[in-house]
Structure formats: structure tokens, C-alpha cells
Amino acid sequence: MESSSPTVEQIAAAGHRRRRDADRLKKSSAELRELVLSALREGRLKPTRVAEASGWTGAHVRKMAREAGIEPDERYRERAERLRKAQEPADA
């Protein structure tokens, strides 16, 4: 950026770029969300692979999936339950 004082036009142009970029991010995030949820519904790709490819964390993808009514694969649920029981104290 120049060392001279910014003009109103420069500020307005920068504001326009920020809004434009925010709109693009919102649109691309919505498109990515739909692709991720569609892939999870189809079940052909592993959820961890879908999360990795999306750039979102596994936790974020799981949260989106649950909010969209997509429950975990039954095999995962059974495995998670076995692991939970194995970690419980013996006297519990």
C-alpha cells in the first residue's frame, strides 16, 4: 500500500472486495457442505476421508452430519460402544 493517505475510493474498493470475497466464501462453503453431506449419505467414502478431503475437521463434519440427520454407521456405533465399555472402571 502507498505511503500517502488512503482515498475514499480505495477504502470503498477494498470494502467491495471484502464483501465479494465473503460472498464467495459463503457460497463455496455451502457447496462444499452439500457435497460432504451427499457423500456421507451415500456411504461409499469413509467419513474420515471425506473430512480430510474437505479441509474441515472430523468433528466439524460429524456435527454437520448429525445436524443433517445422518447417523454414524452401525459398525462404528458398535465399535465405539465396545471401546467405551472397555475403558470403564471394573467396579463401575
Side-chain angles (χ1 to χ4, degrees), residues 61-72:
V61 169
R62 281 190 301 278
K63 181 180 179 204
M64 285 191 320
R66 299 310 167 261
E67 288 173 350
I70 302 169
E71 292 300 320

Side-chain angles (χ1 to χ4, degrees), residues 13-79:
H16 174 73
R17 285 190 303 273
R18 184 189 60 77
R19 287 187 298 279
R20 180 198 63 213
D21 292 347
D23 289 342
R24 285 182 183 168
L25 177 60
K26 186 185 290 185
K27 182 179 179 194
S28 65
S29 293
E31 291 171 356
L32 178 57
R33 181 181 189 278
E34 289 308 310
L35 288 170
V36 164
L37 294 176
S38 179
L40 294 175
R41 282 186 190 102
E42 289 178 11
R44 291 184 302 146
L45 298 172
K46 290 184 175 186
T48 53
R49 182 67 183 113
V50 172
E52 180 182 287
S54 74
W56 285 326
T57 65
H60 183 69
V61 169
R62 281 190 301 278
K63 181 180 179 204
M64 285 191 320
R66 299 310 167 261
E67 288 173 350
I70 302 169
E71 292 300 320
D73 183 295
E74 195 57 40
R75 292 170 298 177
Y76 172 79
R77 188 187 310 262
E78 291 168 3
R79 179 177 159 262

